[in-house]
Amino acid sequence: MTERASIGTPAPTDWRDAAHQRRMAKRYGAERRFRWLGLGAVLMSAGFLVVLLVSMLSAGVSGFVQTQIALPIDFAHSRLTIDPAKLRGPGADLALAAADLGGATDAAAIAAYGPEGDALLSDGAWTRVRDQLKADPSLLHRRATVWVPAADRIDIAAKREGAPADEAIVAKLNAAHALKTSFNSFFLTSSDSTDPTMVGIWGALKGSLLTMFVTLLIAFPVGVLSALYLEEYAPHNRWTDLIEVSINNLAAVPSIIFGLLGLAVFLNTFHLQRSAAIVGGLTLALMTMPVIVIASRNAIKAVPPSIRDAAFGIGASPVQVVFHHVLPLAMPGILTGTIIGMARALGETAPLLMIGMRAFITAPPGGLRDPATVLPVQIFLWSDQVNRGFVEKTSAAILVLLVFLLAMNGVAIYLRNRFETRW
Amino acid sequence: MSILVLFFLITGLGLIAWLSARMRAARFRRASKARFSSLPSHFGGFVAMWTVLPAAIFLAVWASCAPGLVTNRVLTEPAAAHLPPPGFERAAILSEARSIASGDGFGTPTPLAATLAPAYAAAQTRADWIGAGVALLLAFASGAWAFTRVRPDFRARNQIERLVMALLLAAALVAILTTMGIVASLLFESARFFGMVPIGEFLFGTHWSPQVIDPRDPGASLGAVPLFWGTFFIGAVIAMFVAIPLGLMSAIYLTQYARPSVRMWMKPLIEVLAGVPTVVYGYFAALTVAPLVRDFAVAIGVRWASSESALAAGLVMGIMIIPFVSSMADDSITAVPAAMRDGSLAMGATQSETIRRVLLPAALPGVVGGILLAVSRAIGETMIVVMAASGVATLTLNPFASATTVTKQIVDLLTGEAEFDSPKTLAAFALGLTLFVITLLLNIVALTVVKRYREAYE
């Protein structure tokens, strides 16, 4: 008894003691602060995303809208010498190219808006006149009003604050109902240009699609096959360890290193065309392959062994087991990983800069060997432009890129939810 | 014969081989009641494989050695005697003759090239016909041989499966080849660079100005220490200053406090940050963040405020890195056994005390591994610094001053118009090698730490 007393039992907690109450309040205060801190971190991270998207949206939406000026042209009395009959045949483009449409457009602008009138129009305004003539050759006999894109500074003044002089011109044009804004379909159908009112993303988008085509064609089969080998057949020895280590390391190598590889191997050793979609596709394929391998291996690993045992049990060979049973069951997971890898490749810029896909290209590439650029590189190139008109175009191109990425990720999530089996 | 016609011919032969072997196998299968190891389509595949593969392999070999044979043939022409001795000029004339012969020469050709062009064209046509003829013959012969082996007792399936296994192995080897390609190309070009510039001057020199390189002493203006410092400062200090607290606290909140519905929405939302293309971050940094940072610096009275400050690039990079840190921390925290947490809570600790005293120490190796991976991602990141950081290399501790990074310099060096053999362009490969080695080491250390930690709780 005395021994136990000498060890001493702690006094029971006095819950109403003031010191204890203070201590508890302090601890609960710390708890609350910690919790708020965590919530703040989450909200801040999500807030960054919102700020990023909102800033791109607010700057980019106006890139899809174009300010147009009404241009009355008296085709009948202009100096244009076009035979209307020629416009109905296959020689239309040739006949229109020979005529001085640019001069006629400028003359019409000067006639309508004074001596500075031609400066109000975009440099490419005459192409709109040309398209109108091609669509309706009867215009040549009469007077018509063609809506043509306004010059860059007028466009800026009409959308936001421009220079005071331009603001005055916009006010005057508005009063004369000679100004309208409409959806800039040109932006989605044309290519790069030096004039921000005439630029479009179709060239870059087509380059991106061609590049992605090459990437998918190479990275998908190679990635899936090597994942099958590593998961299903590979013996455990030093060689397969080496393969595994190199795949895991490749997945973490900075993308710019792949650009250096593409430059040294595809351009300087194999002498493939600079800035061609095929080189970009090959480079991105090497970059995307490890991502696909890792995703595919996880998907294959998730197929339960009982499936394989059942197939072996009814006499399938190892190749039949894998290709008839394991691979189809793993496919949703593999496709999800592939789409995510492709989305990453679609947004990639740095390696493509290394292999020269940063050229100024005004026509969409016709094939895999033509000089091409891709959407992210186009964004990078436009962001470097001094001209203020490119700001909204850059943001608009970013929006297009983000829409594509969002769609791809959406498909990936849908696939995962719809087809993935939980065993 | 054009390559496309040849391709279709060989594919057609393969198709015919497949169909005929399949039919033959089907016939003897019907005739007998015995069980076979292979299906008719296996026989078809076997014969088609023997029809297409030898021809394809031959064509690949032929395509690589035919140009040399063609050139040798042209050199036996009498006109070739006037060619200058082997060297750059000779190669230029030959390549000009080749482009005239293939029909895409432009401008006025040099007379010698023009006289050699017909010989070139003739030799090329000859080589094409020989290649096509041998390929077709080979396809036919090996296909016919394979067809004679289509008998009931032949195990065609095993042959096909052997080919499939070879394909699988070849696919897996691509990864090794890529790694070797990266290492070899970086090492090879860097070796040429270090032949011009001593490795010590490159690694420890403190002056970097590749715009003006003294040809007698290129190493004097190619000292990479300011780049290494800038990379470390932007990627490992400023970016982590943003990413670690935000990422870690987000992970803690989402795993420990948030309701499942909140977690279900917020976790993917934060991960979207990692999916935004880096060029978008770069644009955001250059257009929105950099001016704000500069104005702020001017407002608090910093004298050397650059509009291409290290802080702007680092902040945006930190935002990009948040999801890497948070998802790694998320994984490690959820991997801590629930018994540890429950024990701490049962002893009367508050939730935050449990997190700080029990969960975080237990999850620390995983968190540290994740941070190392994030650092390696940050220092390899290119577009943000290309668009928002400066090109001027300075050794500075001031976050408002301009700083440059390894990746930014690689892009700047290689997108100029300099010829490929100058120390300036080769320096990019030396920088690439350094970057590769550093990120590799970081990844190996990080993965080892994470792996050891996982083993501790499994």
Side-chain angles (χ1 to χ4, degrees):
Chain A
M1 285 297 272
T2 49
E3 262 181 36
R4 203 172 279 178
S6 75
I7 292 168
T9 45
T13 310
D14 180 5
W15 296 93
R16 266 161 304 186
D17 178 29
H20 181 85
Q21 291 282 342
R22 265 199 312 280
R23 226 164 36 235
M24 286 306 291
K26 206 171 133 199
R27 285 173 66 193
Y28 283 136
E31 169 73 27
R32 260 196 314 278
R33 280 195 299 279
F34 192 74
R35 195 183 167 134
W36 281 112
L37 222 59
L39 184 62
V42 172
L43 291 182
M44 212 161 152
S45 309
F48 283 134
L49 182 68
V50 173
V51 168
L52 189 73
L53 293 183
V54 167
S55 79
M56 291 305 144
L57 262 179
S58 63
V61 166
S62 63
F64 292 104
V65 180
Q66 188 176 47
T67 310
Q68 294 188 326
I69 295 184
L71 181 66
I73 305 185
D74 190 357
F75 287 104
H77 295 97
S78 73
R79 282 167 294 149
L80 284 175
T81 49
I82 306 177
D83 179 6
K86 274 196 185 150
L87 287 184
R88 296 187 198 283
D93 288 329
L94 212 64
L96 285 167
D100 181 22
L101 276 175
T105 309
D106 286 350
I110 290 169
Y113 301 112
E116 298 283 303
D118 56 336
L120 298 180
L121 308 184
S122 152
D123 294 343
W126 66 274
T127 57
R128 213 52 69 83
V129 177
R130 180 192 63 191
D131 295 345
Q132 288 277 327
L133 275 179
K134 220 158 83 177
D136 183 11
S138 71
L139 282 179
L140 275 175
H141 302 298
R142 55 190 167 89
R143 215 181 136 78
T145 301
V146 181
W147 287 95
V148 295
D152 172 34
R153 57 190 178 93
I154 305 295
D155 192 40
I156 290 175
K159 282 172 185 169
R160 289 184 294 274
E161 71 280 14
D166 298 333
E167 296 270 8
I169 296 174
V170 167
K172 217 164 76 187
L173 287 172
N174 263 331
H177 298 288
L179 215 56
K180 73 167 183 182
T181 55
S182 65
F183 178 69
N184 187 359
S185 59
F186 205 64
F187 183 68
L188 297 177
T189 55
S190 72
S191 298
D192 201 2
S193 162
T194 49
D195 181 353
T197 57
M198 300 306 293
V199 297
I201 54 163
W202 173 237
L205 198 58
K206 194 174 174 196
S208 269
L209 293 178
L210 287 174
T211 310
M212 287 300 108
F213 172 71
V214 176
T215 304
L216 187 64
L217 208 66
I218 293 169
F220 181 68
V222 172
V224 174
L225 290 182
S226 53
L228 282 178
Y229 180 75
L230 289 176
E231 264 323 303
E232 297 288 330
Y233 302 114
H236 281 287
N237 59 26
R238 203 174 292 167
W239 278 101
T240 47
D241 279 353
L242 191 64
I243 296 178
E244 217 157 301
V245 168
S246 32
I247 286 176
N248 288 336
N249 278 330
L250 281 181
V253 167
S255 63
I256 192 168
I257 302 284
F258 285 97
L260 290 176
L261 171 75
L263 175 64
V265 174
F266 299 130
L267 294 186
N268 290 341
T269 310
F270 291 143
H271 298 290
L272 291 170
Q273 286 86 346
R274 236 181 129 71
S275 51
I278 185 158
V279 180
L282 284 170
T283 308
L284 290 183
L286 295 182
M287 202 190 87
T288 313
M289 190 197 66
V291 180
I292 296 182
V293 174
I294 292 172
S296 305
R297 289 187 69 173
N298 288 335
I300 293 167
K301 231 182 262 174
V303 177
S306 57
I307 302 277
R308 296 178 185 85
D309 296 343
F312 277 125
I314 55 168
S317 73
V319 170
Q320 284 171 329
V321 169
V322 167
F323 281 86
H324 294 180
H325 301 283
V326 176
L327 188 57
L329 287 173
M331 219 21 137
I334 293 177
L335 287 181
T336 308
T338 305
I339 295 174
I340 288 169
M342 292 300 290
R344 227 179 86 181
L346 179 63
E348 198 55 74
T349 321
L352 301 177
L353 292 181
M354 299 288 92
I355 54 165
M357 287 187 101
R358 57 178 295 163
F360 175 66
I361 288 158
T362 53
L368 293 179
R369 285 156 176 272
D370 289 351
T373 188
V374 294
L375 208 42
V377 176
Q378 188 72 79
I379 291 167
F380 170 65
L381 291 176
W382 283 351
S383 76
D384 251 7
Q385 296 277 353
V386 203
N387 194 325
R388 265 187 67 195
F390 275 103
V391 172
E392 59 176 31
K393 303 294 174 191
T394 314
S395 302
I398 286 177
L399 290 182
V400 174
L401 180 64
L402 288 179
V403 165
F404 267 86
L405 293 179
L406 211 64
M408 285 170 83
N409 283 307
V411 170
I413 291 172
Y414 172 78
L415 270 179
R416 183 159 58 198
N417 292 344
R418 176 78 177 70
F419 294 107
E420 200 163 288
T421 328
R422 295 250 167 255
W423 302 96
Chain B
M1 192 180 304
S2 86
I3 193 85
L4 209 64
V5 175
L6 197 60
F7 173 78
F8 280 119
L9 269 177
I10 291 180
T11 317
L13 269 180
L15 204 64
I16 292 170
W18 187 71
L19 284 174
S20 52
R22 209 180 116 101
M23 269 164 63
R24 182 169 161 154
R27 202 173 310 137
F28 63 60
R29 256 173 87 91
R30 259 201 310 276
S32 90
K33 288 204 160 55
R35 300 169 66 90
F36 295 99
S37 76
S38 311
L39 294 170
S41 59
H42 288 134
F43 284 100
F46 171 73
V47 178
M49 164 182 115
W50 270 101
T51 312
V52 174
L53 272 189
I57 291 170
F58 167 76
L59 278 179
V61 174
W62 183 251
S64 65
C65 67
L69 294 178
V70 167
T71 310
N72 283 345
R73 170 115 199 136
V74 170
L75 289 181
T76 60
E77 291 287 314
H82 303 294
L83 275 173
F88 180 73
E89 208 183 337
R90 183 187 175 109
I93 292 179
L94 284 176
S95 86
E96 195 183 350
R98 197 180 311 137
S99 58
I100 297 171
S102 59
D104 43 45
F106 50 87
T108 32
T110 45
L112 195 53
T115 49
L116 281 177
Y120 237 118
Q124 186 65 51
T125 321
R126 227 173 99 98
D128 286 352
W129 277 107
I130 292 176
V134 174
L136 286 178
L137 214 63
L138 207 60
F140 201 76
S142 59
W145 173 78
F147 190 74
T148 59
R149 297 188 66 183
V150 178
R151 280 193 225 101
D153 59 340
F154 179 64
R155 292 177 175 266
R157 197 185 73 192
N158 300 19
Q159 303 283 327
I160 294 278
E161 292 187 346
R162 207 175 291 166
L163 176 78
V164 170
M165 292 305 285
L167 269 181
L168 290 179
L169 185 61
L173 286 180
V174 171
I176 291 195
L177 277 182
T178 312
T179 310
M180 272 168 38
I182 290 178
V183 173
S185 59
L186 290 180
L187 274 181
F188 180 68
E189 307 288 354
S190 302
R192 282 167 65 191
F193 175 72
F194 291 128
M196 299 179 207
V197 175
I199 188 163
E201 276 185 39
F202 172 73
L203 284 182
F204 304 112
T206 54
H207 179 65
W208 179 269
S209 59
Q211 294 80 14
V212 274
I213 293 179
D214 181 1
R216 277 159 303 167
D217 182 18
S221 50
L222 290 174
V225 167
L227 309 190
F228 298 151
W229 167 248
T231 308
F232 177 78
F233 192 45
I234 292 179
V237 178
I238 302 177
M240 290 306 132
F241 204 72
V242 177
I244 293 176
L246 285 178
L248 198 56
M249 285 310 288
S250 299
I252 288 173
Y253 186 81
L254 289 180
T255 51
Q256 303 298 319
Y257 289 108
R259 270 175 293 145
S261 60
V262 174
R263 180 178 155 84
M264 199 179 81
W265 281 101
M266 290 312 270
K267 197 169 168 348
L269 198 67
I270 290 178
E271 270 159 20
V272 169
L273 279 174
V276 175
T278 54
V279 69
V280 177
Y281 279 116
Y283 186 62
F284 181 64
L287 197 79
T288 312
V289 180
L292 283 179
V293 167
R294 207 191 83 91
D295 292 348
F296 175 72
V298 170
I300 62 169
V302 179
R303 280 179 58 216
W304 302 104
S306 161
S307 61
E308 296 180 317
S309 58
L311 189 60
L315 283 178
V316 175
M317 198 183 272
I319 296 175
M320 186 194 85
I321 296 294
I322 291 173
F324 292 93
V325 177
S326 83
S327 69
M328 285 299 282
D330 194 315
D331 290 349
S332 350
I333 291 175
T334 37
V336 175
M340 288 174 76
R341 198 183 67 168
D342 296 348
S344 166
L345 290 175
M347 294 296 288
T350 65
Q351 211 162 354
S352 67
E353 286 162 353
T354 306
I355 293 165
R356 275 180 299 184
R357 307 267 171 85
V358 178
L359 287 185
L360 275 189
L364 198 61
V367 173
V368 170
I371 290 172
L372 287 181
L373 281 183
V375 169
S376 116
R377 176 65 62 131
I379 64 176
E381 165 47 40
T382 310
M383 289 322 289
I384 294 178
V385 286
V386 164
M387 293 165 86
S390 136
V392 187
T394 40
L395 268 171
T396 175
L397 261 172
N398 176 3
F400 296 105
S402 54
T404 192
T405 70
V406 171
T407 47
K408 158 103 177 151
Q409 288 303 317
I410 293 177
V411 172
D412 283 1
L413 291 172
L414 282 179
T415 47
E417 291 299 318
E419 72 273 31
F420 197 72
D421 286 337
S422 70
K424 193 176 153 184
T425 44
L426 288 178
F429 284 90
L431 287 176
L433 183 65
T434 326
L435 183 65
F436 179 72
V437 170
I438 291 174
T439 50
L440 196 66
L441 288 179
L442 273 175
N443 283 319
I444 291 174
V445 171
L447 288 177
T448 322
V449 169
V450 172
K451 201 171 164 191
R452 197 165 294 164
Y453 155 74
R454 264 194 209 132
E455 279 161 3
Y457 288 122
E458 268 169 9

